[in-house]
Amino acid sequence: MFRSLALSRRRWALLTSAALTAVALAVLTTPASATPPNIPSKSTAQAELNALTVAAEGSMTGYSRDLFPHWITISGSCNTRETVLKRDGANVIVDGACYPTSGSWYSPYDGATWYNPADIDIDHVVPLAEAWRSGASSWTTSKRQSFANDLSYPQLIAVTDNVNQAKGDQDPSTWQPPLSGYRCTYSKMWIRSKYHWGLKLQASEKSALQSMLNTCSS
């Protein structure tokens, strides 16, 4: 009987240990949803969209990504990209140079989860070239730097690299996140960024944004 009791206790300990390990693994592998700051409500986004100036798209003449200096140092050895990787990831651990050595990243554009930071791009929600065509061509380089490294508004987000590359410099009239359920949030982020930075938009872009915004419940 004593041996049977000892075996039962041993089995219970093993089962308990396995259960705790499973819980720990679940916690470690649960991805965080990327949540840039200051995403407006539907009603606020609608008001901001209505306030944006509609105009023909500007020229790409003179454009260069170098005119939007990024990524800049944010804190210690962490630059803007690394700061967003830490913000948008789950259980992110970085080395002395602030490069992630472990963690997971959920890309809301396509619903994929990644465990290698090399698979992640930091998307400029309003692309740099799009900003140039929408008014940033007349900005100072200092202002363009602030835009390209904007952590205060929903202008930067960690997403799957090839999805970001497929987006390129397109506006919502020609590109929207593959995951249709995220298009509401994407439209609100795009509108808020353009509104905050005083950028213009095309008629086709406004129409696409309105259609996306109409899918929002709040």
Side-chain angles (χ1 to χ4, degrees):
M1 181 180 76
F2 291 112
R3 183 180 178 187
S4 176
L5 182 59
L7 286 172
S8 295
R9 286 175 175 169
R10 191 173 302 136
R11 289 193 189 97
W12 174 254
L14 288 170
L15 287 170
T16 301
S17 176
L20 289 173
T21 299
V23 169
L25 285 172
V27 169
L28 287 172
T29 58
T30 300
S33 294
T35 51
N38 281 317
I39 299 174
S41 65
K42 179 180 181 179
S43 59
T44 299
Q46 184 66 67
E48 291 177 354
L49 178 61
N50 294 343
L52 288 173
T53 298
V54 177
E57 192 167 67
S59 167
M60 285 293 288
T61 301
Y63 170 74
S64 169
R65 287 178 67 85
D66 293 340
L67 294 173
F68 293 81
H70 65 287
W71 304 111
I72 62 172
T73 299
I74 298 299
S75 176
S77 60
C78 298
N79 64 22
T80 314
R81 171 182 163 78
E82 292 156 347
T83 300
V84 177
L85 284 172
K86 289 199 295 181
R87 182 197 72 189
D88 290 356
N91 307 297
V92 177
I93 296 175
V94 300
D95 61 20
C98 204
Y99 188 79
T101 56
S102 64
S104 64
W105 291 268
Y106 172 77
S107 168
Y109 284 5
D110 59 335
T113 298
W114 302 96
Y115 299 89
N116 182 346
D119 293 320
I120 295 295
D121 275 358
I122 306 305
D123 179 41
H124 288 96
V125 173
V126 175
L128 304 183
E130 166 64 20
W132 179 270
R133 296 188 296 261
S134 303
S137 60
S138 65
W139 294 353
T140 63
T141 299
S142 176
K143 184 173 180 178
R144 286 191 290 262
Q145 175 176 290
S146 296
F147 173 80
N149 298 276
D150 183 5
L151 293 168
S152 298
Y153 287 85
Q155 170 58 12
L156 299 171
I157 187 169
V159 298
T160 302
D161 56 0
N162 60 2
V163 173
N164 181 51
Q165 290 152 25
K167 171 186 172 180
D169 65 353
Q170 298 179 80
D171 71 39
S173 68
T174 55
W175 188 93
Q176 297 176 14
L179 199 62
S180 60
Y182 196 70
R183 291 174 186 172
C184 160
T185 301
Y186 185 77
S187 68
K188 293 192 289 186
M189 293 194 299
W190 184 285
I191 292 165
R192 170 52 59 88
S193 190
K194 281 218 162 178
Y195 180 81
H196 172 70
W197 288 99
L199 294 169
K200 300 173 183 177
L201 79 173
Q202 299 170 268
S204 59
E205 177 188 347
K206 182 174 183 178
S207 177
L209 286 165
Q210 185 64 68
S211 294
M212 297 165 75
L213 194 59
N214 289 344
T215 70
C216 300
S217 59
S218 59

